[in-house]
Amino acid sequence: MYITRGQKEYYEKNGYLIFADLISRGELEVLRNEVTKLTMEKSDRLIPEKSGAVRTIFAPHHTSEVMRRLIRLPPILETAKSLLETDVYLHQFKINCKVALEGEQWEWHQDFLYWNKEDAMPLPRVLTAAVFLDDVDDFNGPMLIVPGSHLEGMIEVEAHGKYAPNGTPKEPSWMTTLTADLKYKIDQQILSGLLKKSRILSVKGSAGLVLFFHGNLFHASSQNLSCIDRQSIFISYNSIENRLGAKENPRPEFIASRDFTILDPVSDDALLEFAD
Ligand code: SIN
Ligand code: MN
């Protein structure tokens, strides 16, 4: 068990757990250098902002050994396993770059709604570890969460699509689940209902912080209005007992993995082997 009983209870009640400094300075340097390389790749796994800057790099482990090791790093992987109480596999893995002045917002949403509707994930036995590569303050688009909102369960919202005037989709339909104009967004009524029970928490802190959050926890973030990037890595672990069901026209493998291999830990210093 990597976490205490008290931390587990806190997670169950609030839907999140924060660990400052889970990633060391040396590891951060390795990760930042790797992200710089990955942003230069030419791949449909890179999703742009309106400005053309890289918004998200999906499935960086497809080409990066550093990233293959990061998802297996004991403090992250073992915490995820303790919180989900089973072995886990990787459902989704992405780097959100939120570039200074160009990084756009993420509307309020629950991740599990997407994974249930789009990927046929049966239950919300899934969580995400968000690793901060930059310091996060009021100005570079911190993640906003509603503590305890995971206890509401999945709240249905209507899908909204982007279509050209003649009715044909302008882009692959799964693209609307990735850009700033999200497919499933909550309305004011749902948000005010949530905020009668809880307050919005802005997750700020130094690079190296890791936030674990439940698949049904409501979250959002605003655009980056500062001159500092807000790069964060989002590793979504699903319980091995909660594999995806069959789906017609599934989203691409790099967005919703159907490789259900159990993740085994690497050694604690596995990233530092890449240090200069
Ligand atoms: C997400 O909800 O997937 C990302 C949120 C963020 O990068 O702030
Ligand atoms: Mn999300």
Side-chain angles (χ1 to χ4, degrees), residues 94 96 98 106 109 111 141-143 213 219-221 230 234:
K94 64 182 183 184
N96 283 349
K98 211 179 258 206
W106 291 85
H109 66 280
D111 290 335
M143 266 188 73
F213 63 99
H219 59 285
S221 63
R230 197 226 62 181
F234 289 76

Side-chain angles (χ1 to χ4, degrees), residues 175-231:
M175 194 58 108
T176 59
T177 61
L178 315 179
T179 55
D181 191 14
L182 276 182
K183 179 170 181 180
Y184 302 105
K185 10 181 155 187
I186 61 172
D187 57 24
Q188 199 189 356
Q189 216 183 343
I190 298 175
L191 186 58
S192 19
L194 295 173
L195 296 182
K196 285 196 179 102
K197 299 186 194 162
S198 184
R199 295 166 62 176
I200 296 173
L201 178 79
S202 174
V203 186
K204 294 177 281 190
S206 303
L209 179 153
V210 181
L211 160 74
F212 291 84
F213 63 99
H214 189 283
N216 269 337
L217 192 79
F218 277 95
H219 59 285
S221 63
S222 58
Q223 70 195 105
N224 186 347
L225 290 172
S226 81
C227 55
I228 306 168
D229 292 346
R230 197 226 62 181
Q231 288 185 340

Side-chain angles (χ1 to χ4, degrees), residues 226-268:
S226 81
C227 55
I228 306 168
D229 292 346
R230 197 226 62 181
Q231 288 185 340
S232 315
I233 304 181
F234 289 76
I235 310 166
S236 299
Y237 297 101
N238 192 17
S239 164
I240 197 65
E241 295 170 5
N242 195 36
R243 298 173 179 86
L244 306 186
K247 181 88 185 157
E248 249 180 66
N249 300 320
R251 295 198 293 175
E253 179 68 26
F254 66 81
I255 301 173
S257 173
R258 285 175 186 272
D259 174 355
F260 305 130
T261 310
I262 289 174
L263 294 174
D264 288 321
V266 290
S267 65
D268 281 321

Side-chain angles (χ1 to χ4, degrees), residues 18-65:
I18 293 172
F19 294 87
D21 304 324
L22 205 68
I23 304 296
S24 69
R25 296 250 148 242
E27 288 168 330
L28 279 173
E29 201 173 314
V30 170
L31 291 169
R32 288 200 196 105
N33 289 342
E34 192 67 9
V35 172
T36 303
K37 283 186 218 150
L38 288 165
T39 53
M40 290 187 251
E41 286 189 348
K42 294 273 165 277
S43 163
D44 55 2
R45 293 180 292 99
L46 271 64
I47 310 297
E49 304 279 12
K50 279 202 227 65
S51 71
V54 178
R55 176 175 176 80
T56 301
I57 305 167
F58 274 95
H61 60 305
H62 284 192
T63 53
S64 162
E65 177 59 21

Side-chain angles (χ1 to χ4, degrees), residues 3 79 107 110 146 161 206 209 230 254:
I3 53 170
T79 301
E107 308 261 5
Q110 293 176 299
V146 183
S206 303
L209 179 153
R230 197 226 62 181
F254 66 81

Side-chain angles (χ1 to χ4, degrees), residues 29 88 151 174:
E29 201 173 314
V88 297
L151 299 174
W174 46 261

